[in-house]
Amino acid sequence: GEKRMKQTESPAIRAIQEIKKAVIGKDDCIIKVMTAILAGGHILIEDVPGVGKTTLALAFSKALHLEQNRIQFTPDVLPGDVTGFSLYQKATGTFEYQPGAVMCNLLLADEINRTSPKTQAALLEVMEEGSVTVDGVTRPVPSPFLVIATQNPVGSAGTQLLPQSQLDRFLICFGIGYPDAAEEMDILKSRRSGNGLEDVRPVISSQELMEMKKEVEEVFVHDQV
């Protein structure tokens, strides 16, 4: 009976079970991220360092079979690092596009509030448009495309707050929080045999994820809702 139940589990539930191997005791956070992904939105995680923000993003990229890039934002990261840039090729005498970090399925934008407003705007424009324009040529980002951005709300010296209009580009914003004592014990026990991420298996292909998102869009919503 249990075997049959496992076969009828939705792919989303199967993915959540895999992610739980790496992210312990934060089931509500996993469900929030999964919900946002299916709704086609981007995610902002506001929390202090060391609570597993990066692990959460990496676990999702593995379980959902998504090509993943990461930018560690600092004041000297340029818009071209995000969107890509044209490089002159001496041999051919032409400019060739060098892809930026956004050319992936899942972009982890770490500490988005530590970079300049210009670079923030470049990323947020891609999130809105689903494409990048470099030297007048517009290129779509891969599909599906999702940004998980993080920011540290503590110690705001030298950081740039995201303006309200840019915050609107994120579907959800939440904190992870420190684990409680029992969860800390579970994390320590699980870390004996590796970091948990190694155990996460890909259970959904990006094609399946696109189909799941289509199904979500077709859910009937009554006018009164």
Side-chain angles (χ1 to χ4, degrees):
E2 196 177 301
K3 195 175 178 188
R4 194 161 71 245
M5 244 177 74
K6 278 205 160 144
Q7 284 170 344
T8 56
E9 271 178 2
S10 78
I13 300 290
R14 287 206 314 275
I16 287 167
Q17 298 299 348
E18 284 301 312
I19 291 154
K20 278 184 184 179
K21 293 175 183 176
V23 183
I24 293 164
K26 297 294 171 191
D27 297 4
D28 57 331
C29 296
I30 297 171
I31 290 164
K32 280 175 191 168
V33 174
M34 193 76 212
T35 307
I37 290 172
L38 292 175
H42 303 288
I43 297 136
L44 179 62
I45 307 175
E46 271 193 318
D47 220 322
V48 293
V51 290
K53 300 188 290 285
T54 306
T55 305
L56 182 68
L58 292 174
F60 266 94
S61 73
K62 272 192 88 171
L64 306 185
H65 218 276
L66 300 174
E67 191 190 320
Q68 178 260 337
N69 279 341
R70 177 178 179 223
I71 304 183
Q72 177 66 56
F73 279 117
T74 55
D76 60 353
V77 173
L78 299 170
D81 299 326
V82 175
T83 59
F85 54 90
S86 295
L87 194 64
Y88 181 67
Q89 301 293 328
K90 201 174 175 185
T92 56
T94 56
F95 284 91
E96 202 173 283
Y97 174 67
Q98 307 294 311
V102 291
M103 288 300 176
C104 63
N105 301 123
L106 191 159
L107 178 68
L108 174 58
D110 252 334
E111 299 203 73
I112 191 173
N113 56 335
R114 286 190 65 207
T115 198
S116 70
K118 203 173 182 178
T119 304
Q120 286 176 357
L123 173 62
L124 294 155
E125 191 180 343
V126 179
M127 288 163 60
E128 186 69 16
E129 311 289 337
S131 60
V132 293
T133 304
V134 176
D135 292 338
V137 181
T138 301
R139 292 176 176 83
V141 292
S143 210
F145 176 67
L146 157 77
V147 173
I148 297 182
T150 74
Q151 61 177 6
N152 176 4
V154 180
S156 56
T159 63
Q160 304 282 347
L161 281 177
L162 287 175
Q164 194 60 47
S165 59
Q166 296 187 348
L167 279 171
D168 284 347
R169 304 276 158 88
F170 294 99
L171 181 66
I172 58 168
C173 171
F174 64 91
I176 293 178
Y178 285 115
D180 61 31
E183 287 162 2
E184 280 191 16
M185 294 289 279
D186 288 342
I187 291 166
L188 289 168
K189 283 176 187 168
S190 73
R191 292 297 182 266
R192 283 178 194 163
S193 58
N195 65 0
L197 271 174
E198 291 147 21
D199 302 330
V200 178
R201 292 174 302 116
V203 287
I204 300 177
S205 69
S206 53
Q207 189 54 46
E208 273 181 299
L209 183 59
M210 298 292 287
E211 285 161 18
M212 287 160 69
K213 285 171 75 173
K214 273 203 188 85
E215 278 179 42
V216 170
E217 283 164 19
E218 283 161 17
V219 171
F220 172 73
V221 181
H222 195 279
D223 287 357
Q224 285 182 324
V225 177

